[in-house]
């Protein structure tokens, strides 16, 4: 009998159409595929109006099931309520290992917390303007700006990488993580640093700083030293402060 590969964790991807750009659809499902299977793909909104026409045009391409919610009363968001009800129904069905909540709306903060209380993994997807309460309620939070297609570089064939923040902005959090890892000589494994980063900061993502690898981001700051022992893994440490040379009197 052939050995079967273990099945990927099953995730329910629930999209708030009113607060999400359809331009991130391809990048969204590519991202989900990194940690699980998008077993359920649902989107909520009023598709009878012109505002969500762009979403309507790509639903079939990505096998997303639309859940129509008519806006009977202005200011009342029936879509949010429907998404929350469905999330709890799916949770209690016991068929899913986690949820991907795609929205920049802080109204889903309590939902994310409740799902995690029940042992489900919750990955949030939203813009940089998403309130911190929702970002921190998720196990991981991915900025949707990082999921947009790369723009072609001017006069070149290679795509131009995006940068939402300067690499120097990551220095403080990198130093904090390294200081929290027990080490006698200051050297720590880069892999361990990467794990601690995502545990400490739910929305940390090297792509936010214009890179694809953590090592490239760390090197770009100019604040850390690297070494790779023979047969070992890449290690880093904060550069020691140089002692100023005393002037002769």
């Amino acid at each position: 009998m052939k050995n079967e590969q273990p099945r990927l964790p099953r995730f329910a991807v629930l999209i708030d159409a009113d607060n999400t750009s359809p331009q991130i659809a391809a990048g969204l499902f590519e991202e989900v595929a990194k940690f699980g299977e998008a077993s359920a793909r649902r989107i909520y909104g009023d598709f009878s109006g012109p505002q969500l026409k762009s979403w309507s045009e790509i639903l079939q391409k990505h096998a997303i099931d639309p859940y129509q919610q008519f806006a009977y009363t202005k200011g009342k968001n029936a879509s949010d309520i429907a998404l929350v009800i469905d999330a709890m129904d799916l949770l209690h069905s016991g068929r899913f290992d986690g949820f991907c909540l795609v929205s920049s709306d802080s109204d889903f903060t309590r939902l994310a917390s409740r799902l995690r209380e029940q042992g489900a993994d919750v990955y949030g997807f939203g813009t940089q303007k998403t309130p911190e309460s929702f970002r921190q309620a998720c196990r991981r939070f991915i900025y949707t700006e990082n999921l947009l297609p790369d723009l072609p570089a001017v006069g070149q064939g290679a795509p131009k990488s995006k940068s939402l923040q300067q690499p120097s902005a990551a220095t403080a959090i990198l130093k904090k993580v390294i200081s929290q890892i027990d080490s006698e000589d200051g050297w720590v494994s880069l892999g361990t640093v990467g794990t601690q980063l995502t545990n400490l900061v739910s929305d940390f993502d090297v792509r936010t700083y214009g890179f694809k690898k953590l090592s490239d981001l760390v090197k770009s700051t100019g604040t850390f030293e690297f070494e790779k022992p023979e047969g070992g893994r890449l290690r880093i440490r904060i550069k020691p402060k140089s002692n100023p040379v005393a002037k002769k009197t």
Side-chain angles (χ1 to χ4, degrees), residues 37-59:
E37 174 187 322
S39 300
R41 305 179 179 198
R42 302 183 180 184
I43 188 168
Y44 301 80
D46 185 358
F47 300 97
S48 63
Q51 295 87 350
L52 300 182
K53 183 181 179 181
S54 53
W55 264 116
S56 301
E57 294 171 350
I58 65 169
L59 296 180

Side-chain angles (χ1 to χ4, degrees), residues 11-17 28-29 38-45 47 55 59 62-68 82-83 85-91 93 95-96 99-102:
F11 280 81
V13 181
L14 309 180
I15 305 171
D16 173 15
L28 168 65
F29 291 109
S39 300
R41 305 179 179 198
R42 302 183 180 184
I43 188 168
Y44 301 80
F47 300 97
W55 264 116
L59 296 180
H62 297 285
I64 306 172
D65 294 327
Y67 281 66
Q68 170 67 30
L83 191 155
I85 292 173
D86 277 7
M88 297 310 296
D89 284 345
L90 294 172
L91 172 69
S93 73
R95 293 184 289 118
F96 298 92
F99 293 80
C100 297
L101 303 180
V102 189

